[in-house]
Amino acid sequence: YYNLGDHIKSLEYVSLALPEIERFKDKIGISECYKLRGMIYESSGDHRKAIDDYDKALTYLDPASNKRN
């Protein structure tokens, strides 16, 4: 839906997917969800929310936070 320009529908589906991906502790998937949300917010002109979600996406890609026990 994002590529079709339907930001409302794409945000809806990302919001549904995120808790499921978090449940599996898939850090790359979580990062991708936050990145996509950031892209949606940026395209919609909500730059503050976009920056917040881009920052969250980067947090999950930080090698220090991805070390396994």
Side-chain angles (χ1 to χ4, degrees):
Y1 289 99
Y2 176 78
N3 290 333
L4 297 173
D6 189 343
H7 298 138
I8 293 170
K9 193 65 120 174
S10 56
L11 188 58
E12 177 184 332
Y13 280 109
V14 170
S15 296
L16 289 172
L18 185 57
E20 293 301 313
I21 295 170
E22 287 175 328
R23 189 168 62 112
F24 290 103
K25 297 180 172 86
D26 176 1
K27 291 183 180 190
I28 293 172
I30 295 168
S31 176
E32 286 296 314
C33 280
Y34 280 120
K35 181 182 82 172
L36 182 54
R37 270 192 3 186
M39 292 168 55
I40 295 165
Y41 286 133
E42 183 177 5
S43 295
S44 300
D46 194 338
H47 300 289
R48 181 74 254 157
K49 284 185 180 178
I51 290 170
D52 289 344
D53 277 351
Y54 287 143
D55 284 343
K56 288 177 186 175
L58 290 173
T59 300
Y60 284 95
L61 294 179
D62 180 13
S65 69
N66 287 325
K67 289 185 180 176
R68 293 183 180 219
N69 296 332

